[in-house]
Amino acid sequence: MLTLKHLRSIEAIHETGSITRAASRLYLTQSALSHQMVGLETYYNVMLYERTRPLRLTPAGERLLELAREVAPRMEACERDLQRMSERRQPGRLRIAVECHTCYDWLMPAMDAYRSHWPEVEMDLVGGFHADPVSLLADDRADLVIVSEPGRAREVSYEPLFRYEMLALMASSHPLAAKSRLEAQDFAQETLITYPAPDRLLDLVRRVLKPAGIHPERRQVELTIAIVQLVASRKGLAALPAWAVAPFLERGYVVARPVTAHGLWSDLFAAVRSEDATRGYVRDFVTTLREQAFMSLPGIESVPESS
Amino acid sequence: MLTLKHLRSIEAIHETGSITRAASRLYLTQSALSHQMVGLETYYNVMLYERTRPLRLTPAGERLLELAREVAPRMEACERDLQRMSERRQPGRLRIAVECHTCYDWLMPAMDAYRSHWPEVEMDLVGGFHADPVSLLADDRADLVIVSEPGRAREVSYEPLFRYEMLALMASSHPLAAKSRLEAQDFAQETLITYPAPDRLLDLVRRVLKPAGIHPERRQVELTIAIVQLVASRKGLAALPAWAVAPFLERGYVVARPVTAHGLWSDLFAAVRSEDATRGYVRDFVTTLREQAFMSLPGIESVPESS
DNA sequence: CTTATTCATGAATTTATTTCATGATAATCA
DNA sequence: TGATTATCATGAAATAAATTCATGAATAAG
């Protein structure tokens, strides 16, 4: 029988163009999703997608996608209403702390989307720099913190959001632009342009350069646009999320290259107090973060289980 | 997770005002439906219906009902479209034969409802009287026959529709009106007014009077309204489906009484060729018959499994 | 007050879903 | 063009979910 689960699957397959990627986004194995689709196809005796790469929906698949788009939001709205009815306490509050500079790019639209679903939830951003932002949860100064690594404290629950690739950025006239990927040694003689943040938060430094014993000259700038401008002016290299550099590549002054053989991928998690993790408005905020990110950020993936 | 099944359940509970009756209409045990509801209630941590008789939906239950009403028809429309896509043969044909006179009362509206879902299916009514209407299927003179008893031939599939109670009808001034229920002997000295049909099709005669060896005087009339008129004029008794007599009871000239201790219940089935039983447009016709009947005929029930 | 009904619940059963392990097929790249 | 890597399909096993059966408790009807 047709379920919401099937509709979500069709949407994910359509959006990712692949059973494997869709499965990962749905937190399923590739096999489970394949079985699920074969089951649907057998039940209705139709093909739902062409077995080509990239995979495309057939007319029958498109029809299901259409259903998903008209039906899924209504079911979700109903679920939110039920959650509201069950939590007869005060409407919730979400004070959000963010560790990474670029996070604001996707956090703001996500908060907007969330506000329309949960108008009664009061949202706030916790400003300032904090050595250990997760401790803001226990101190009751924040209710949700965006971090790049899950901790292991039992009082805090870490919800995976997504992962993105960090790309090395250089002027298109830079000699290193000739290489298809950069390694740690390539940075040795360069200036590294970063946000003003401790090394712990700079994935390139912490996970690539420091382990290789390489400590390039450094320069710190606040704004992404300023970093790109300095790179274009051949003042040094930078490492930024793939989705953040995409708009600048079109103009051709800078180029982006992966770092190390498999690329430098960073994960993001939402940390919440474990007692809050099951609340409807909190879970829905996390879900909204994921949805909005996958909708607007090109090239991101879901966090693999092992992380 | 919320499924279409849950929505159908909520609808059935709302319409029947009882877990037991809803379960029977959904072809489930009472227990299964109870578990299902408790599961939903636990998942969302809300009550869905008041534990009173008759049972009423809570606001949370009403919210689910609202969802059901906006979402279920869309899912059904999509399923029909998929079925159409899978059957790339000729659009179907439905020649329908009917055994019982009163069937036309609910069959016509049901056919209208069905026509809007399957405009490409050509419907026709097979007229005339037939000693063995089910044989019309094998003879390819009909595609679906409404009958009151399932046969056991393997080439024919019998889909249960619903059951209704036959009530004895008499003038309100008739002495028997004093009794709360009638027995076979009560008919011995009366005239029985029936449709012009063989005894085999008259449930009162076949299942009550004949077994008791009672053969009252008879009079045959074509139209339901004429039967009621004769009864009101004290020309005799009649037995008609509860839903067919309901409109005449209001005026007060006739009264209706159950027959025998547990009432005289008649079942209805749709007989189709087994090869047709799985076709989308056929299954949907049967589903539409059930739906429309339960929607418009008061006091009917679903056919118990054993029948 | 007794007798029906009706709903809830625990245990057992059946059915469905998911994963694991692996094979087949198609795309990519030296 | 092979060799290599990606991706999807599939069967068997494991896990999870839904359904039934048997029964108890609560509620309405006679």
Side-chain angles (χ1 to χ4, degrees):
Chain A
M1 186 188 229
L2 196 54
T3 70
L4 179 58
K5 186 180 51 181
H6 292 123
L7 301 182
R8 298 212 148 308
S9 300
I10 285 283
E11 280 186 322
I13 290 170
H14 170 73
E15 283 164 21
T16 62
S18 141
I19 299 289
T20 306
R21 281 192 296 277
S24 130
R25 184 182 300 188
L26 296 165
Y27 297 99
L28 284 178
T29 58
Q30 173 270 128
S31 177
L33 187 55
S34 176
H35 277 298
Q36 192 179 105
M37 287 299 117
V38 171
L40 262 191
E41 291 185 328
T42 311
Y43 183 76
Y44 289 110
N45 192 34
V46 289
M47 291 271 98
L48 292 176
Y49 51 92
E50 310 284 352
R51 266 59 174 182
T52 61
R53 240 108 349 140
L55 185 148
R56 275 179 54 88
L57 296 186
T58 61
E62 293 281 355
R63 180 63 185 84
L64 274 176
L65 181 63
E66 182 193 339
L67 178 70
R69 287 177 169 159
E70 59 185 21
V71 149
R74 292 166 196 265
M75 299 190 79
E76 285 151 14
C78 180
E79 293 200 311
R80 280 192 294 271
D81 286 342
L82 292 181
Q83 283 161 357
R84 265 188 278 266
M85 290 178 186
S86 82
E87 298 170 11
R88 46 185 75 280
R89 76 187 77 249
Q90 297 286 65
R93 181 166 60 153
L94 277 176
R95 291 162 300 176
I96 301 157
V98 181
E99 210 175 44
C100 62
H101 279 71
T102 46
C103 285
Y104 288 101
D105 289 355
W106 51 266
L107 183 58
M108 296 301 117
M111 287 174 70
D112 287 342
Y114 180 79
R115 188 175 300 111
S116 66
H117 289 156
W118 295 90
E120 73 274 32
V121 172
E122 191 192 324
M123 283 189 288
D124 202 353
L125 285 167
V126 179
F129 177 78
H130 304 278
D132 177 13
V134 173
S135 69
L136 294 171
L137 294 174
D139 299 346
D140 195 34
R141 293 174 57 201
D143 306 298
L144 185 145
V145 184
I146 310 283
V147 296
S148 57
E149 284 210 317
R152 67 255 151 275
R154 265 213 306 106
E155 320 83 64
V156 178
S157 171
Y158 291 85
E159 314 291 336
L161 295 177
F162 58 88
R163 59 173 16 195
Y164 56 90
E165 187 175 10
M166 295 289 290
L167 295 179
L169 205 66
M170 65 212 76
S172 42
S173 59
H174 195 286
L176 283 174
K179 302 191 62 171
S180 69
R181 29 191 2 115
L182 269 55
E183 298 296 336
Q185 314 84 275
D186 294 325
F187 291 86
Q189 304 308 319
E190 306 290 335
T191 298
L192 184 63
I193 303 169
T194 70
Y195 295 107
D199 286 358
R200 175 176 63 77
L201 297 181
L202 301 170
D203 293 296
L204 177 69
V205 175
R206 184 178 49 118
R207 290 167 48 196
V208 178
L209 303 184
K210 204 168 176 186
I214 291 172
H215 300 278
E217 204 174 315
R218 301 280 283 278
R219 180 159 173 188
Q220 295 191 332
V221 190
E222 274 284 352
L223 295 175
T224 307
I225 183 85
I227 293 178
V228 176
Q229 199 46 250
L230 288 174
V231 169
S233 309
R234 306 198 53 171
K235 302 299 183 212
L237 305 188
L240 289 174
W243 49 266
V245 305
F248 302 113
L249 296 180
E250 293 167 10
R251 307 189 201 158
Y253 298 123
V254 292
V255 295
R257 296 285 179 264
V259 181
T260 78
H262 296 287
L264 173 60
W265 286 83
S266 299
D267 301 331
L268 284 178
F269 298 82
V272 297
R273 283 181 291 275
S274 296
E275 47 183 307
D276 290 346
T278 58
R279 299 202 196 292
Y281 69 91
V282 173
R283 295 199 317 171
D284 207 46
F285 185 78
V286 172
T287 305
T288 305
L289 289 182
R290 284 199 199 108
E291 264 177 16
Q292 293 289 320
F294 280 108
M295 191 173 304
S296 61
L297 305 180
I300 67 174
E301 298 194 356
S302 41
V303 179
E305 318 222 10
S306 53
S307 291
Chain B
M1 187 188 231
L2 197 53
T3 70
L4 178 59
K5 187 179 51 182
H6 292 123
L7 301 182
R8 297 214 149 304
S9 300
I10 286 282
E11 280 187 323
I13 291 171
H14 170 73
E15 283 165 21
T16 62
S18 140
I19 299 287
T20 305
R21 280 192 297 277
S24 129
R25 183 181 303 187
L26 297 165
Y27 296 99
L28 284 178
T29 59
Q30 172 272 126
S31 177
L33 187 56
S34 176
H35 276 298
Q36 193 180 103
M37 288 299 116
V38 171
L40 263 191
E41 291 184 328
T42 312
Y43 183 76
Y44 289 111
N45 194 33
V46 289
M47 291 270 98
L48 292 175
Y49 52 93
E50 309 284 353
R51 266 60 173 180
T52 59
R53 239 87 27 112
L55 183 151
R56 275 179 55 89
L57 296 185
T58 61
E62 293 280 355
R63 180 63 185 84
L64 274 177
L65 181 64
E66 182 193 339
L67 178 70
R69 287 177 169 160
E70 59 185 20
V71 149
R74 293 166 195 266
M75 299 190 78
E76 285 151 14
C78 180
E79 294 200 310
R80 279 191 296 270
D81 286 342
L82 292 181
Q83 283 162 358
R84 263 187 281 266
M85 290 178 186
S86 82
E87 299 171 11
R88 44 186 70 280
R89 79 187 74 248
Q90 297 285 62
R93 182 166 61 150
L94 276 175
R95 291 162 300 175
I96 301 157
V98 182
E99 208 173 46
C100 63
H101 280 71
T102 45
C103 286
Y104 288 100
D105 290 354
W106 51 266
L107 183 58
M108 297 301 116
M111 286 175 70
D112 288 341
Y114 180 78
R115 190 171 3 257
S116 66
H117 290 156
W118 295 89
E120 73 274 32
V121 173
E122 189 193 324
M123 283 188 288
D124 202 352
L125 285 166
V126 179
F129 177 78
H130 303 278
D132 178 15
V134 173
S135 67
L136 295 171
L137 295 174
D139 299 345
D140 195 34
R141 295 174 56 202
D143 306 298
L144 185 146
V145 184
I146 310 282
V147 296
S148 58
E149 284 210 317
R152 66 256 154 274
R154 266 212 303 104
E155 320 83 65
V156 178
S157 171
Y158 291 86
E159 313 292 335
L161 295 176
F162 58 89
R163 57 171 21 193
Y164 56 90
E165 187 174 9
M166 295 290 288
L167 295 179
L169 204 66
M170 64 210 77
S172 43
S173 59
H174 195 286
L176 283 173
K179 302 190 64 172
S180 68
R181 29 192 3 116
L182 267 56
E183 300 296 334
Q185 314 83 274
D186 294 325
F187 291 85
Q189 304 308 319
E190 306 290 334
T191 299
L192 183 62
I193 304 169
T194 68
Y195 294 107
D199 286 359
R200 174 176 64 79
L201 297 181
L202 301 170
D203 293 294
L204 177 68
V205 175
R206 184 179 48 115
R207 289 166 51 197
V208 179
L209 303 185
K210 202 169 176 185
I214 292 171
H215 300 277
E217 204 173 316
R218 301 281 282 280
R219 180 161 174 186
Q220 294 190 335
V221 188
E222 274 285 352
L223 296 174
T224 307
I225 183 87
I227 294 178
V228 176
Q229 199 44 250
L230 289 174
V231 168
S233 308
R234 305 198 54 172
K235 301 299 184 210
L237 306 189
L240 290 173
W243 48 265
V245 305
F248 303 113
L249 297 179
E250 294 167 7
R251 308 188 199 157
Y253 299 122
V254 293
V255 295
R257 296 285 180 265
V259 181
T260 78
H262 297 287
L264 174 59
W265 286 83
S266 299
D267 301 332
L268 285 178
F269 298 82
V272 296
R273 282 182 292 276
S274 296
E275 45 181 311
D276 290 347
T278 58
R279 301 204 196 293
Y281 69 92
V282 174
R283 295 199 318 171
D284 207 45
F285 185 78
V286 172
T287 306
T288 305
L289 288 183
R290 284 199 197 106
E291 265 177 14
Q292 292 290 320
F294 280 109
M295 193 175 300
S296 61
L297 305 181
I300 68 173
E301 300 194 354
S302 42
V303 179
E305 316 222 11
S306 53
S307 290

